[in-house]
Amino acid sequence: MSNVTNLPSTKQQFSLTPQSLEEAFRFADMLSKSNMVPKDYQGNPANCIIAMQWGMEIGLQPLQAMQNIAVINGRPAIWGDAMLAIVRGSGLLEYITETPTDAGCTCKLKRKGEPEVERTFTLEDAKRAGLAGKQGPWQQHPKRMMQMRARAFALRDVFPDVLRGVHVAEIAQDEPVEKDMGAAEEVPKAAAATAPKSRADKVKAALADKRGTEEKVPAVRLDDLLREIAAASTPEAMEVAKQKASQMPEGDDKNAAREAYANRLADLKAQATQSAAVDAETGEIIDDAQGDFLAGYEAEEGRQ
């Protein structure tokens, strides 16, 4: 009798599935340096780690994800065979039948607990979509391409929870490449100003301009204005003083500025009258320069 106990043999499993983010980064870096991964992943560890994460979410092991997820037009997509494998692996598919012909393909499938679903893609559909005769697989394998279309439509419609919105590579590669529109062009202010505006826009613009003007105009101090009025000796200088006084808020300071302005205007008018040459008989001013000078003050006085 043998004393040797037969121990159950266990097969060692080896997996490259990362168990942490650090392992995922190291694995992605290793894969990106390999010549056995598709060119979209070579030298690009960021693409590798995204493909592994996305594959994990839809049931693909890391190496399976690298081989079955294609980057098309900058977005990941999965090949039609891998899509069918994922659905079969879910255990929810009862059966699937495909009948590819030169005229098109019909895909029938049934999910457990649900009625059968049928999707068809024909050569006429391909012509309407501008695919028939297109350079590449549509010229070489049109029957296969129509089969992938019918399969993708059926699987995506019936198993959206399993596929999680994954795009199909055979369809993605036929879609137009997204164009880079470049940086947004800034509209010149002059061009923007000529654009028609609504009444509400005009009111808002007017209020904004008014606020901007009020912010730019410095506050008028009474002491400075009184000195400016006292030093004024021409109608032009008085006009400047009057404009500054009008910017002052209503109150005692503005009343004091008005009074100083009126007094100074009266003094200047009197000085102009005394210095003007007047005809003794008619009383008319005969000095044109002095006459113009006096007329300016008389007009200024009339505007008060």
Side-chain angles (χ1 to χ4, degrees):
M1 181 176 179
S2 174
N3 292 326
V4 178
T5 303
N6 292 326
L7 298 176
S9 61
T10 58
K11 184 178 181 180
Q12 294 295 324
Q13 299 281 339
F14 177 72
S15 173
L16 290 176
T17 304
Q19 301 300 316
S20 66
L21 184 60
E22 182 180 356
E23 289 184 5
F25 277 120
R26 288 204 303 267
F27 190 30
D29 183 62
M30 180 185 70
L31 290 175
S32 68
K33 297 175 182 178
S34 171
N35 293 327
M36 297 183 65
V37 298
K39 63 179 182 178
D40 291 320
Y41 301 110
Q42 294 178 11
N44 196 331
N47 277 5
C48 294
I49 199 168
I50 292 174
M52 288 190 295
Q53 176 63 29
W54 198 48
M56 183 186 67
E57 293 180 4
I58 58 177
L60 294 176
Q61 293 296 319
L63 293 182
Q64 291 177 332
M66 301 294 293
Q67 293 299 324
N68 291 289
I69 296 177
V71 180
I72 300 176
N73 294 339
R75 296 182 179 180
I78 193 167
W79 297 107
D81 291 342
M83 175 177 285
L84 181 55
I86 293 171
V87 172
R88 285 187 184 277
S90 69
L92 298 175
L93 179 66
E94 284 193 14
Y95 63 80
I96 179 172
T97 61
E98 297 173 313
T99 55
T101 67
D102 291 337
C105 179
T106 297
C107 177
K108 297 180 182 180
L109 57 81
K110 186 179 184 304
R111 178 172 177 154
K112 290 181 179 179
E114 296 184 6
E116 181 184 86
V117 171
E118 176 181 314
R119 295 291 183 268
T120 300
F121 191 85
T122 66
L123 186 59
E124 291 299 319
D125 295 329
K127 290 178 179 179
R128 282 193 294 268
L131 301 173
K134 182 180 178 181
Q135 186 176 3
W138 278 100
Q139 283 186 347
Q140 301 163 359
H141 311 287
K143 187 184 298 186
R144 179 67 171 172
M145 295 303 291
M146 289 187 288
Q147 180 184 358
M148 290 298 102
R149 290 263 170 168
R151 175 189 295 180
F153 292 156
L155 292 177
R156 295 183 72 189
D157 287 348
V158 180
F159 297 95
D161 54 329
V162 176
L163 298 174
R164 301 177 183 273
V166 62
H167 204 9
V168 186
E170 285 86 355
I171 296 179
Q173 64 186 2
D174 289 328
E175 295 177 347
V177 179
E178 294 182 359
K179 295 182 179 180
D180 184 4
M181 302 304 293
E185 182 179 358
E186 183 178 355
V187 179
K189 293 182 178 180
T194 59
K197 297 180 179 179
S198 64
R199 180 176 296 180
D201 292 336
K202 292 179 180 179
V203 172
K204 292 179 182 179
L207 292 175
D209 290 342
K210 183 177 180 181
R211 286 194 297 269
T213 302
E214 290 174 350
E215 293 174 355
K216 294 177 182 178
V217 176
V220 179
R221 297 181 56 184
L222 179 61
D223 293 342
D224 294 339
L225 183 56
L226 291 179
R227 284 193 292 270
E228 187 171 341
I229 292 173
S233 59
T234 64
E236 291 77 14
M238 291 296 288
E239 175 64 22
V240 172
K242 185 180 72 171
Q243 292 296 330
K244 290 184 178 180
S246 66
Q247 297 170 9
M248 299 178 69
E250 294 293 335
D252 294 340
D253 287 354
K254 190 166 187 176
N255 293 333
R258 285 173 175 169
E259 183 178 357
Y261 178 86
N263 293 337
R264 180 57 179 166
L265 185 61
D267 291 343
L268 291 174
K269 180 181 177 181
Q271 294 174 16
T273 302
Q274 292 174 0
S275 60
V278 180
D279 189 292
E281 296 182 357
T282 63
E284 295 180 355
I285 299 174
I286 58 177
D287 187 333
D288 291 340
Q290 291 296 334
D292 294 341
F293 190 64
L294 180 58
Y297 285 118
E298 290 176 342
E300 182 65 26
E301 186 178 29
R303 288 193 289 266
Q304 297 305 306

